[in-house]
């Protein structure tokens, strides 16, 4: 899935020292809208956030793709492993809503 980059908030934070749950808590407190991306070798997980709440997710492992609740759980679990990177990008509300709804269809 191609996602517009948007405004960079955080880029390439190491999963070795980034607590994904604390990062998401901070984004929730700041009513952040955009997405949080977790990247590893041949892996990309994207959490879509609307005002700090996760509204959908998309995960790519090689050629396999998954969306929804299972993807959310998998991304949060994967983000605790070493040798990955976490990036956060801000997008307009309408764009996040559109991207998240496309995953549901």
């Amino acid at each position: 899935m191609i996602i517009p980059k948007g405004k960079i908030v955080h880029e390439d934070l190491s999963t070795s020292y980034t607590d994904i749950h604390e990062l998401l808590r901070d984004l929730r407190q700041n009513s952040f809208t955009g997405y949080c991306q977790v990247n590893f070798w041949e892996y990309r997980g994207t959490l879509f956030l609307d005002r700090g709440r996760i509204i959908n997710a998309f995960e790519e492992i090689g050629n396999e793709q998954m969306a929804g609740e299972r993807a959310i759980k998998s991304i949060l679990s994967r983000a605790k492993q070493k040798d990955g990177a976490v990036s956060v990008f801000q997008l307009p509300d309408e764009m996040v809503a559109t991207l998240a709804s496309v995953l549901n269809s």
Side-chain angles (χ1 to χ4, degrees):
M1 174 178 210
I2 298 173
I3 304 168
K5 192 166 186 175
K7 179 184 173 191
I8 299 169
V9 177
H10 301 288
E11 192 168 35
D12 296 329
L13 302 173
S14 172
T15 56
S16 296
Y17 64 81
T18 301
D19 183 329
I20 190 71
H21 294 288
E22 286 299 319
L23 175 62
L24 291 171
R25 187 173 296 124
D26 180 66
L27 295 174
R28 189 176 314 115
Q29 288 174 349
N30 291 301
S31 297
F32 173 81
T33 298
Y35 64 96
C36 178
Q37 200 162 67
V38 178
N39 293 300
F40 286 87
W41 178 255
E42 293 195 21
Y43 175 88
R44 180 171 63 173
T46 306
L47 299 167
F48 294 96
L49 296 104
D50 181 27
R51 295 186 187 107
R53 304 262 180 233
I54 298 172
I55 57 171
N56 210 339
F58 183 72
E59 182 178 50
E60 298 171 283
I61 305 169
N63 293 327
E64 295 180 35
Q65 301 176 346
M66 182 173 32
E69 197 63 38
R70 285 182 50 203
I72 292 170
K73 290 178 183 177
S74 179
I75 293 166
L76 294 176
S77 175
R78 177 84 56 140
K80 295 176 184 177
Q81 298 175 10
K82 293 182 179 181
D83 301 323
V86 178
S87 298
V88 178
F89 302 94
Q90 186 175 19
L91 290 175
D93 295 355
E94 309 81 36
M95 190 173 294
V96 171
T98 301
L99 290 167
S101 67
V102 165
L103 295 173
N104 290 332
S105 53

